[in-house]
Amino acid sequence: MSTTRPVLYLFGSAAPPVLNMAQVVRHAQFRGWEVALGLTPTAASWLQDELPKLNRLTGHPVKSTYRRPGEPDVLPPADAVLFAPATMNSINSLALGLTTSWVIGFAAEAIGKGIPLSVMPCTNTALTGHPQFPRSVATLRDSGVRVLLGEGGFVSNDPGQGRPEAYPWEAALGAAEESIGR
């Protein structure tokens, strides 16, 4: 699917809002994006039954693993990356440069390549209270990553009190648009 629309790499990790990814892809497309979807391996397993539908919806294979040496890159170049929902594990891995999954690896390269990267967490207050989490958020922000945490983005809830339907996707997509001057 080759278009003149800007390409959004939409990444998700295993947090309940990822279960609405088809709806989010459609909304991003409605807003003018060509969407390429990447999932952490656990998120891909959660959406396993939906992957064929998501492949058709985006016109691209959903990526969750690294390609083998010599295999062609099947996705168009990214204009922006939106990593939402991003778990504590994904945020800490990205901040520390631990690229054990394709999604984290690409996001880490995006920082180095200057591809606009927005990250919106999906964590509870017990996880955001861990001492590494604010350090990771600060590291990402110091690296030019827009982290949508707090007012105007994701506000953590108490454990067991999450409402996936209230995840602020609109703010996340708006941040991606702002990152390329739309």
Side-chain angles (χ1 to χ4, degrees):
M1 175 186 286
S2 179
T3 69
T4 58
R5 296 179 296 162
V7 176
L8 176 66
Y9 277 30
L10 177 59
F11 292 168
S13 48
V18 81
L19 299 174
N20 295 322
M21 202 54 92
Q23 179 182 344
V24 177
V25 167
R26 282 193 286 285
H27 190 60
Q29 290 170 330
F30 177 78
R31 291 172 77 139
W33 291 101
E34 178 176 351
V35 179
L37 184 59
L39 300 169
T40 62
T42 303
S45 74
W46 286 13
L47 294 173
Q48 183 176 355
D49 294 341
E50 286 190 52
L51 292 179
K53 173 184 168 184
L54 291 165
N55 289 334
R56 287 189 303 277
L57 183 61
T58 63
H60 305 291
V62 176
K63 289 205 56 173
S64 61
T65 60
Y66 285 103
R67 62 185 165 97
R68 293 182 181 143
E71 285 184 343
D73 190 355
V74 296
L75 299 179
D79 292 298
V81 179
L82 172 59
F83 198 155
T87 61
M88 177 184 169
N89 184 57
S90 293
I91 290 168
N92 287 342
S93 295
L94 180 56
L96 295 170
L98 304 175
T99 60
T100 56
S101 74
W102 178 79
V103 167
I104 301 296
F106 189 93
E109 283 189 357
I111 294 169
K113 291 179 176 179
I115 300 169
L117 172 60
S118 301
V119 174
M120 188 154 64
C122 186
T123 57
N124 63 42
T125 54
L127 294 173
T128 58
H130 186 281
Q132 183 56 47
F133 188 79
R135 289 193 288 262
S136 293
V137 169
T139 296
L140 293 174
R141 286 178 171 157
D142 289 347
S143 300
V145 177
R146 183 166 180 190
V147 180
L148 300 151
L149 178 64
E151 191 173 332
F154 180 77
V155 177
S156 296
N157 49 268
D158 290 335
Q161 301 301 309
R163 294 183 28 246
E165 73 281 358
Y167 190 71
W169 285 111
E170 198 66 29
L173 290 170
E177 290 169 348
E178 290 172 14
S179 76
I180 63 165
R182 288 179 71 196

